[in-house]
Amino acid sequence: MASIFTRIVNGEIPSYKVAENENYYAFLDINPLAKGHTLVIPKMEEDYIFNLPGDVYAGLWEFANKVAKAIDKAVPCKRVGVAVLGMEVPHAHIHLIPIQNESDMLFSNPKLQLSSEEFVAIAKAINEAWEGNRK
Ligand code: 5GP
């Protein structure tokens, strides 16, 4: 059965998309630790990130780098923090989290409750920065 993230890529489950190319997809985490918390995934289905083929793995980080730069532009933050967990969803993904402090990266923190309008606005701002960086 397709993973929940493959179903998101295929449009079967809605997502707040921030960036996409042929092989990778980035969208807002539905339970964000911070505004702009983004998940970056390969379209290839593989549970464990370190089992991805080398070229897909390298491409994922290159794509995540560009998404992080777009987040940096669109969301006020000191840094974009990076985490890889994969404890919940068995489809490789990188968390990109705009942070002000080290403690903003704690996954035990309460998650933000955002309205769909807020999600749409954040995704739009990051997507515009993403598109702008490509020009
Ligand atoms: P992990 O597998 O890295 O431990 O956590 C998976 C992350 O995916 C969590 O932060 C969770 O909020 C997010 N997530 C799980 N299901 C969905 C979903 O259907 N849509 C979105 N946008 N995020 C999800």
Side-chain angles (χ1 to χ4, degrees):
M1 204 178 105
S3 77
I4 191 162
F5 287 173
T6 293
R7 296 179 68 203
I8 282 176
V9 170
N10 292 340
E12 295 164 28
I13 295 174
S15 68
Y16 300 99
K17 177 168 107 172
V18 305
E20 180 175 17
N21 71 12
E22 194 187 346
N23 298 315
Y24 305 100
Y25 190 86
F27 57 107
L28 296 180
D29 193 304
I30 205 68
N31 294 307
L33 281 170
K35 283 189 180 182
H37 181 166
T38 296
L39 302 174
V40 184
I41 67 169
K43 292 184 180 176
M44 172 183 280
E45 243 190 50
E46 164 58 50
D47 174 2
Y48 192 33
I49 191 168
F50 298 121
N51 285 341
L52 284 169
D55 57 335
V56 180
Y57 176 83
L60 177 64
W61 286 103
E62 193 183 333
F63 185 79
N65 179 311
K66 291 178 182 151
V67 174
K69 285 178 176 147
I71 295 172
D72 252 322
K73 264 195 185 173
V75 182
C77 62
K78 269 200 188 145
R79 294 265 161 156
V80 174
V82 179
V84 175
L85 287 81
M87 302 306 288
E88 183 187 330
V89 178
H91 183 138
H93 54 278
I94 297 170
H95 293 259
L96 297 177
I97 306 168
I99 55 172
Q100 299 293 347
N101 304 292
E102 187 184 313
S103 59
D104 294 339
M105 287 295 292
L106 291 175
F107 278 76
S108 52
N109 284 345
K111 308 300 184 292
L112 297 186
Q113 302 286 328
L114 302 178
S115 66
S116 60
E117 288 79 14
E118 287 176 293
F119 275 116
V120 166
I122 297 162
K124 183 167 180 280
I126 299 171
N127 179 256
E128 283 173 0
W130 158 264
E131 293 293 346
N133 285 347
R134 276 152 54 112
K135 283 173 191 154

